[in-house]
């Protein structure tokens, strides 16, 4: 599946009523050791910035889950843990450099631009950017 197909799949998942985290994680089940039902189940409470309290963006949480499933392992291993943390941090910092924030509240907030209140972005845009960014780590 190419990146455009993943983005479309993420958008289809959201259209069905799932959250941003579910959309990102669900877009990668074909290359991870997880099925779609499990992906939807474990990420249910991670939309809207975790429990809808608008903290870290759900799409980014889905991205962190994708990276953990791709590079992590079941057994505890300090070296693997450090490596996965570094990859995840790099992914998050790259998104933050592009969008200026990691928190849902800030990403979806309103900002005055030339005297008009403008929404800074939409969940769809963040899902798409997260999936595109994840591709370089996969």
């Amino acid at each position: 599946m190419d990146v455009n197909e993943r983005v479309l799949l993420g958008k289809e998942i959201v259209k069905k009523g799932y959250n941003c985290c579910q959309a990102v994680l669900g877009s990668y089940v074909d290359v991870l050791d997880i099925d779609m039902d499990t992906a939807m189940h474990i990420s249910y409470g991670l939309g809207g910035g975790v429990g809808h309290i608008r903290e870290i963006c759900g799409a980014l949480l889905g991205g962190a889950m994708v990276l953990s499933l791709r590079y992590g392992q079941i057994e505890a291993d300090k070296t693997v843990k450090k490596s996965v943390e570094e990859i995840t941090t790099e992914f998050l910092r790259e998104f933050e450099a592009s969008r200026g924030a990691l928190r849902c509240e800030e990403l979806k907030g309103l900002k005055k631009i030339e005297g008009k209140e403008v929404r800074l972005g939409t969940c769809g845009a963040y899902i798409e950017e997260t999936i595109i960014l994840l591709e370089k780590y996969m």
Side-chain angles (χ1 to χ4, degrees):
M1 183 179 304
D2 72 18
V3 67
N4 295 321
E5 292 169 315
R6 285 194 199 289
V7 168
L8 288 175
L9 178 56
K11 290 179 180 183
E12 287 173 18
I13 291 169
V14 168
K15 283 181 186 174
K16 291 178 182 177
Y18 293 102
N19 66 47
C20 299
C21 183
Q22 291 169 308
V24 172
L25 182 57
S27 297
Y28 283 90
V29 296
D30 65 314
V31 294
L32 301 171
D33 189 19
I34 189 171
D35 61 79
M36 186 65 80
D37 288 344
T38 302
M40 295 302 99
H41 193 182
I42 66 172
S43 54
Y44 225 94
L46 301 179
V50 183
H52 226 277
I53 62 169
R54 305 188 66 122
E55 287 300 323
I56 191 162
C57 169
L60 296 175
L61 290 168
M65 293 175 83
V66 168
L67 295 172
S68 293
L69 286 164
R70 172 73 172 88
Y71 296 107
Q73 61 186 31
I74 295 171
E75 298 82 22
D77 181 307
K78 289 181 182 180
T79 303
V80 173
K81 178 181 175 184
K82 183 176 170 106
S83 175
V84 174
E85 287 171 350
E86 288 172 354
I87 291 167
T88 303
T89 298
E90 185 179 328
F91 157 73
L92 291 171
R93 294 295 173 225
E94 197 166 341
F95 183 94
E96 185 177 35
S98 170
R99 291 296 185 155
L102 299 174
R103 294 180 61 242
C104 176
E105 181 174 61
E106 294 169 16
L107 290 166
K108 290 181 65 178
L110 296 174
K111 183 176 184 176
K112 284 202 177 219
I113 298 175
E114 296 179 14
K116 297 179 184 176
E117 283 196 339
V118 178
R119 184 168 297 281
L120 298 177
T122 64
C123 292
Y126 301 133
I127 291 166
E128 182 172 348
E129 185 164 346
T130 298
I131 291 170
I132 291 168
L133 186 56
L134 276 172
E135 284 298 300
K136 71 188 266 184
Y137 295 94
M138 298 303 286

